[in-house]
Amino acid sequence: MSRNNIRVIAVLLLLIASHGAGYAREDLRPDIAGVWTNALLSPEDERWRIEDLACARSGCSLAGFKYLQSLLRDPGNDDRSVKELFYEMQDYEKQQNKDLLTPVGLKKQAEYDPAQGAALDCTPEGDSLRHQILAPVPMQIEQFDDEVVFRYEYWNAVRTVYLNGRSYPLDAPPTRLGHSTGRYEGATLVVETTHVIPNVIGVPGRGAFAPHADTRFIERYTLNADNGRLDLELAIIDPVHFHKPYDNQRSFLPAPDWELEEFVCEAITGEY
């Protein structure tokens, strides 16, 4: 068979494969455009897994989420309640995170004052990128050839993820949402964010700060073609404060009938 014939066959196979359902274009990019909700907002949806519902309010680390899944799959736990398994998972998380913080992280933890919380005076600049990404409110994703735009109901924030490798402007200061670049890996959108201002990051049983503009946030959004679920794995890479990447997990379901609402923050003043 000639090389030209081989090339023609390869192109035809690629074109046939590109028409699979659940993907946006010929390059097999996942179609994740639209409004997405989470298990806290739509717990009645039958597509949620038990672990999604269990982690909906307080959230779970990625390690804790996978550990809870293993507990739920174990036939030996059939007579135990989900609540009991969830508490065991939380103990597991605390054990996993007991050596997470570096000496600098432990110092920041000791200095942390809850009165600095962003919700107290409605200043989004004091709220972390992690909380923005994992906040239990709807978000909307828009996909374009050279960028992906995340619109969040939380703080009415908008993030642009550049798919063309656009670099951060020289000498530009870091921001709360940082600078995000992305790429597609099959059914997964991978986003890397840098140049994020220092912010409070909640760790189960602890508190810490994201230190400098060189901290990296890695998000992996994977589309489950069977039920439309979008699974997020978030890793915060911060060698100054964390001995290892701090991983988080959240899942979303499409909500075509939903619209983002205007976010209104009510400051906590201490007055009654």
Side-chain angles (χ1 to χ4, degrees):
M1 184 179 293
S2 69
R3 291 185 178 180
N4 286 337
N5 288 338
I6 293 175
R7 290 171 181 166
V8 170
I9 292 174
V11 170
L12 288 175
L13 290 174
L14 180 61
L15 289 174
I16 292 172
S18 69
H19 290 288
Y23 295 92
R25 311 179 339 157
E26 290 79 8
D27 54 12
L28 296 183
R29 295 182 179 183
D31 184 0
I32 58 176
V35 177
W36 296 86
T37 187
N38 55 75
L40 188 63
L41 299 177
S42 59
E44 71 285 349
D45 197 305
E46 296 181 352
R47 290 174 293 178
W48 292 121
R49 299 163 295 185
I50 294 176
E51 53 268 38
D52 294 322
L53 297 169
C55 293
R57 180 169 296 277
S58 58
C60 294
S61 67
L62 180 59
F65 186 82
K66 291 182 176 180
Y67 183 73
L68 179 58
Q69 286 183 317
S70 68
L71 292 176
L72 290 167
R73 288 194 299 264
D74 185 351
N77 293 323
D78 288 349
D79 294 332
R80 302 175 65 190
S81 68
V82 174
K83 184 176 181 180
E84 183 181 358
L85 298 179
F86 181 76
Y87 285 153
E88 180 177 333
M89 181 275 295
Q90 286 188 319
D91 290 339
Y92 173 82
E93 278 190 333
K94 291 177 182 179
Q95 182 66 22
Q96 291 293 305
N97 290 329
K98 69 181 181 67
D99 297 323
L100 174 65
L101 299 182
T102 65
V104 176
L106 290 171
K107 182 175 184 293
K108 294 287 183 68
Q109 174 199 6
E111 296 172 347
Y112 173 63
D113 181 2
Q116 300 171 343
L120 299 181
D121 57 5
C122 289
T123 54
E125 288 75 17
D127 207 356
S128 69
L129 174 61
R130 173 184 178 273
H131 195 200
Q132 180 69 61
I133 295 170
L134 300 177
V137 291
M139 70 173 180
Q140 182 174 0
I141 300 177
E142 300 174 354
Q143 290 178 277
F144 304 96
D145 288 342
D146 58 350
E147 64 185 30
V148 176
V149 177
F150 285 80
R151 299 186 183 275
Y152 300 95
E153 185 170 300
Y154 186 54
W155 295 121
N156 307 305
V158 179
R159 292 175 67 205
T160 299
V161 178
Y162 300 101
L163 303 179
N164 55 7
R166 176 177 173 179
S167 60
Y168 197 68
L170 293 176
D171 300 325
T175 64
R176 187 177 78 88
L177 301 182
H179 177 74
S180 299
T181 58
R183 65 185 184 277
Y184 291 101
E185 295 181 356
T188 300
L189 170 65
V190 181
V191 179
E192 180 170 350
T193 303
T194 57
H195 297 82
V196 179
I197 60 174
N199 272 314
V200 174
I201 293 180
V203 178
R206 296 183 176 275
F209 283 85
H212 308 294
D214 57 355
T215 300
R216 292 190 295 143
F217 293 72
I218 309 295
E219 301 155 74
R220 297 183 63 87
Y221 296 88
T222 301
L223 180 65
N224 187 317
D226 292 334
N227 60 13
R229 191 182 65 246
L230 186 64
D231 295 323
L232 165 63
E233 296 181 1
L234 167 64
I236 303 172
I237 302 172
D238 172 4
V240 175
H241 289 86
F242 300 145
H243 283 298
K244 60 183 180 180
Y246 176 40
D247 296 328
N248 303 254
Q249 191 280 340
R250 186 173 290 279
S251 293
F252 308 88
L253 284 178
D257 298 329
W258 287 49
E259 293 183 359
L260 300 189
E261 298 181 356
E262 186 74 12
F263 180 75
V264 178
C265 177
E266 297 182 0
I268 301 173
T269 63
E271 299 177 358
Y272 297 92

